[in-house]
Amino acid sequence: QSVLTQPPSASGTPGQRVTISCSGSSSNLGSNYVYWYQQLPGTAPKLLIYKNNQRPSGVPDRFSGSKSGTSASLAISGLRSDDEAVYYCAAWDVSLSGAVFGGGTKLTVL
Amino acid sequence: EVQLVESGGGLVKPGESLRLSCAASGFTFSTYNMNWVRQAPGKGLEWVSSISHSTNYIYYADSVKGRFTISRDNAKNSLSLQMNSLRAEDTAVYYCARGGDAVVVAQAWFDPWGQGTLVTVSS
């Protein structure tokens, strides 16, 4: 059972907009930034969003993040087939004194 | 180009020890916090440990506390993870990841990640 809660799966058709949610508590999302990672099949995770809504250079603006209270979400617009991956949210938990991840959401592009 | 290359993984028996290394290049290693994150086969990501650039701050997941030790050698641009009393549930790919913020170690900002090294604990 992960400290951060994500839906196990999500799907959409090419060009569509999809949203992945991440739910936490006051000790993690409620008091720290959320980060999002993309893991393509067979590869290492890659940072997608940092500090709630910032995109690293090279990440398309089709990806956006937001956070409100103890919940966060990742939105992907203009869905493409190469967006098929597992997406993880993460945050620092002050009660655990460590980083925590969501269980991951497998995105399928139909 | 920033590069992180892990090594040291392998097959060990329960109760045995293993030492992982991560060679860093392409950035000023001594100014960045560093981390280990693992992923069991077919499972999600699990944070393992973090160390500040000056080694003043070190954090461990409860699942490895007392068994694993993180360390770094800034002169050699190297990060290590000493793993003792290994258990079957420690079987995973272990990733080395740079902290995204050169100041604050207590955050889940990992960028970039190495390619990982597989540790298998089995009798």
Side-chain angles (χ1 to χ4, degrees):
Chain A
Q1 193 79 352
S2 302
V3 174
L4 302 181
T5 301
Q6 297 180 238
S9 63
S11 64
T13 56
Q16 207 172 23
R17 181 178 187 271
V18 297
T19 300
I20 296 172
S21 63
C22 176
S23 177
S25 68
S26 59
S27 63
N28 41 67
L29 296 187
S31 52
N32 283 296
Y33 294 118
V34 66
Y35 298 81
W36 290 92
Y37 297 90
Q38 177 193 57
Q39 188 172 33
L40 297 169
T43 69
K46 168 192 162 185
L47 178 68
L48 205 58
I49 297 289
Y50 68 98
K51 290 188 175 181
N52 299 339
N53 55 20
Q54 302 299 301
R55 279 187 311 276
S57 59
V59 174
D61 59 6
R62 300 186 299 105
F63 295 90
S64 61
S66 64
K67 193 189 86 166
S68 178
T70 59
S71 295
S73 63
L74 171 72
I76 309 171
S77 60
L79 203 58
R80 297 167 37 143
S81 58
D82 56 3
D83 293 334
E84 277 207 344
V86 179
Y87 293 85
Y88 295 92
C89 60
W92 190 266
D93 191 296
V94 295
S95 295
L96 297 174
S97 291
V100 291
F101 284 92
T105 299
K106 182 175 172 56
L107 175 64
T108 301
V109 181
L110 303 169
Chain B
E1 178 196 3
V2 175
Q3 267 203 315
L4 299 170
V5 180
E6 301 93 335
S7 61
L11 172 63
V12 296
K13 292 181 170 55
E16 293 186 343
S17 300
L18 204 59
R19 186 177 183 88
L20 305 183
S21 296
C22 172
S25 61
F27 66 101
T28 306
F29 181 75
S30 61
T31 64
Y32 280 86
N33 307 314
M34 296 297 295
N35 310 271
W36 288 100
V37 178
R38 69 184 181 184
Q39 185 170 35
K43 302 297 184 182
L45 301 172
E46 180 189 14
W47 169 78
V48 174
S49 182
S50 298
I51 185 168
S52 63
H53 60 89
S54 60
T55 72
N56 285 348
Y57 298 96
I58 291 177
Y59 301 92
Y60 295 101
D62 286 344
S63 57
V64 307
K65 202 172 293 183
R67 299 187 300 123
F68 290 12
T69 301
I70 191 172
S71 61
R72 63 190 295 161
D73 186 333
N74 287 340
K76 295 183 178 179
N77 292 344
S78 177
L79 175 72
S80 296
L81 186 68
Q82 176 66 40
M83 305 185 296
N84 298 331
S85 304
L86 282 161
R87 306 166 180 168
E89 54 265 35
D90 295 318
T91 294
V93 173
Y94 284 74
Y95 294 103
C96 162
R98 188 181 71 172
D101 190 314
V103 177
V104 180
V105 64
Q107 56 189 327
W109 190 353
F110 311 121
D111 180 47
W113 301 53
Q115 87 289 348
T117 186
L118 176 62
V119 173
T120 304
V121 184
S122 175
S123 54

